[in-house]
Amino acid sequence: MNQNSLTNSKKIKDNRIVLIQYICSVLIVYIHSVNINSWSISGSDFAYTILFEKAVYYIASIAVPVFLFFSGFLMFKNYSTGNYFVQLKKRAYSLLVPYIFWNLLSYLLFAVLTRIPFIASHINFETYPIDLQFILKGLINSDFAPLWYIRNLFLYSVFQVIFYYLIKNKYIGIVSISALIIINMVLMQNDCYIEFLYWLPCFLIGAYFGLHIKRFYFERSVKPKLTACAIAMTVIYCATLIICTTGSKYSKIMMIIFDASASLLMPFIFSSIIKKDINIKDPFKISLFIYCTHNFIVRVIEKLFLIVFGVSNFSAVTCLIFTPVITIALITLIAFILKKYFNRLWLFLNGGRNV
């Protein structure tokens, strides 16, 4: 294979990842658009609406495991322990800067809006106190915006050398990842949720593929493998929906199985469906920007729907369907304006990424 073929092959794979990450960012918006809790929807009159929204929620929930898979895959694909501090510095800019900025901006927006009487009386959002300790705690816990994924990814970067030696040996790596999944099951059954530990297996599955297998797609005989993966994921999804919706005592364990399975199977399903020679346009290169900015827009649109249409089966379902569409459209427009007219600001807001 000549150098041009190698370069083209790498470009194709990167484009696949870019598109998959965009799809996942859209799914994240759908997760946060589910309005059962924010609208306090319950009771037999809303039974079908609740079932529909939970079905959408669990479909969209594949996004986080897939994001983590590719984060681990890309970090360890060409890994070298000698580049630790260089990589950590790079990720401090690409991850910590957007994390801190968007959390603080979200805090300021809610702190200001909830102190304007007319707006506060309609939106009924929590009023954030103007207190340094509260702000620092909120930043650490990602209380102001759902950006815990970025925080965890930076923490995984800090411990990347430890993870490298954990999965350096193929067999020890498999045992380590399996052990972490079992530990999470035990902890979750005892109502002990440690976010850093919970999502670590999904990240390490991607890291394992990046280190040992070097690919996230099927080379040959795609259709039989794709069918097998799709059937397995569908069965796991249906089991998760049934067990978690009925409030079974095994629902927490089932979610762990679902997340681990999604991180293992969905990258292959996505990459097998997406064309090898796909050309990615600019609007599909804003996955991080969507992830960082969507929460405030989603909450505002939900409130507007609630004020105008009230709580009903129709308004709840309509809101869930259209909120992500409106949100993505607005964010795409904002990204276009920033990239075209304020490129330096765009780079800063996007952690140095020009995509």
Side-chain angles (χ1 to χ4, degrees):
M1 183 179 288
N2 60 34
Q3 186 63 40
N4 289 336
S5 298
L6 286 170
T7 303
N8 191 47
S9 177
K10 184 179 184 297
K11 182 180 178 181
I12 289 169
K13 294 172 190 176
D14 288 346
N15 280 349
R16 286 183 175 185
I17 294 176
V18 169
L19 184 56
I20 292 169
Q21 288 176 328
Y22 177 81
I23 293 169
C24 288
S25 67
V26 173
L27 292 176
I28 291 289
V29 179
Y30 270 95
I31 289 175
H32 295 143
S33 298
V34 171
N35 49 47
I36 299 172
N37 294 325
S38 59
W39 286 19
S40 301
I41 294 174
S42 61
S44 57
D45 291 342
F46 292 95
Y48 291 110
T49 297
I50 292 171
L51 180 61
F52 172 75
E53 295 215 5
K54 286 187 174 181
V56 171
Y57 175 84
Y58 288 116
I59 289 174
S61 291
I62 65 171
V64 176
V66 174
F67 261 134
L68 284 166
F69 173 93
F70 282 113
S71 296
F73 179 87
L74 292 172
M75 188 180 296
F76 284 89
K77 185 175 66 170
N78 298 304
Y79 188 73
S80 170
T81 54
N83 294 330
Y84 174 76
F85 290 104
V86 174
Q87 291 298 320
L88 195 62
K89 182 180 178 181
K90 179 181 177 182
R91 287 185 173 86
Y93 179 62
S94 65
L95 296 172
L96 277 189
V97 170
Y99 175 81
I100 294 171
F101 175 84
W102 291 112
N103 261 294
L104 286 178
L105 181 62
S106 182
Y107 164 80
L108 288 172
L109 283 171
F110 286 113
V112 170
L113 291 177
T114 53
R115 284 173 169 79
I116 301 174
F118 174 76
I119 296 176
S121 64
H122 286 85
I123 61 177
N124 193 31
F125 287 157
E126 174 190 356
T127 301
Y128 290 150
I130 301 175
D131 177 76
L132 183 59
Q133 185 177 352
F134 176 83
I135 295 171
L136 290 175
K137 183 181 177 182
L139 274 175
I140 294 170
N141 296 328
S142 193
D143 290 335
F144 309 131
L147 304 179
W148 57 265
Y149 162 79
I150 297 177
R151 179 201 61 206
N152 281 13
L153 190 54
F154 179 74
L155 291 176
Y156 293 155
S157 299
V158 172
F159 295 102
Q160 61 184 271
V161 176
I162 296 174
F163 298 152
Y164 170 73
Y165 286 108
L166 195 65
I167 62 171
K168 183 179 178 181
N169 180 279
K170 286 185 178 182
Y171 303 105
I172 294 176
I174 293 173
V175 171
S176 299
I177 294 170
S178 302
L180 282 170
I181 293 171
I182 294 170
I183 290 170
N184 275 323
M185 288 180 177
V186 173
L187 290 174
M188 289 295 286
Q189 278 301 99
N190 291 281
D191 296 319
C192 181
Y193 173 66
I194 303 174
E195 193 174 72
F196 175 89
L197 194 62
Y198 180 92
W199 292 107
L200 184 55
C202 298
F203 175 82
L204 289 181
I205 289 171
Y208 185 91
F209 273 82
L211 195 62
H212 297 296
I213 302 174
K214 304 293 183 184
R215 59 186 176 87
F216 58 92
Y217 54 92
F218 297 128
E219 291 282 11
R220 297 182 298 273
S221 305
V222 172
K223 195 169 182 179
K225 294 177 182 178
L226 173 61
T227 303
C229 286
I231 291 173
M233 197 65 230
T234 301
V235 170
I236 293 168
Y237 166 78
C238 292
T240 303
L241 181 61
I242 294 168
I243 291 172
C244 294
T245 302
T246 55
S248 168
K249 64 179 181 179
Y250 300 110
S251 59
K252 294 176 181 177
I253 289 178
M254 194 65 231
M255 275 308 302
I256 293 172
I257 295 172
F258 176 84
D259 290 327
S261 301
S263 65
L264 183 62
L265 300 175
M266 287 309 303
F268 292 89
I269 294 173
F270 276 135
S271 62
S272 298
I273 294 173
I274 298 171
K275 293 180 179 179
K276 292 180 180 180
D277 56 348
I278 190 165
N279 183 28
I280 305 299
K281 303 296 183 182
D282 274 357
F284 298 102
K285 298 178 181 180
I286 57 171
S287 58
L288 180 72
F289 191 67
I290 291 173
Y291 179 70
C292 290
T293 57
H294 75 276
N295 185 58
F296 179 78
I297 300 173
V298 166
R299 292 185 69 179
V300 169
I301 294 172
E302 280 188 345
K303 282 295 180 181
L304 289 174
F305 261 91
L306 188 60
I307 292 169
V308 174
F309 301 106
V311 179
S312 68
N313 286 295
F314 177 77
S315 62
V317 173
T318 304
C319 182
L320 173 58
I321 293 171
F322 285 102
T323 295
V325 176
I326 298 169
T327 300
I328 297 298
L330 286 173
I331 292 173
T332 302
L333 178 60
I334 293 168
F336 171 79
I337 294 171
L338 287 173
K339 289 174 72 173
K340 186 171 183 178
Y341 300 105
F342 308 96
N343 193 253
R344 288 187 178 181
L345 178 60
W346 166 259
L347 289 173
F348 171 78
L349 298 177
N350 219 28
R353 298 168 181 84
N354 201 25
V355 296

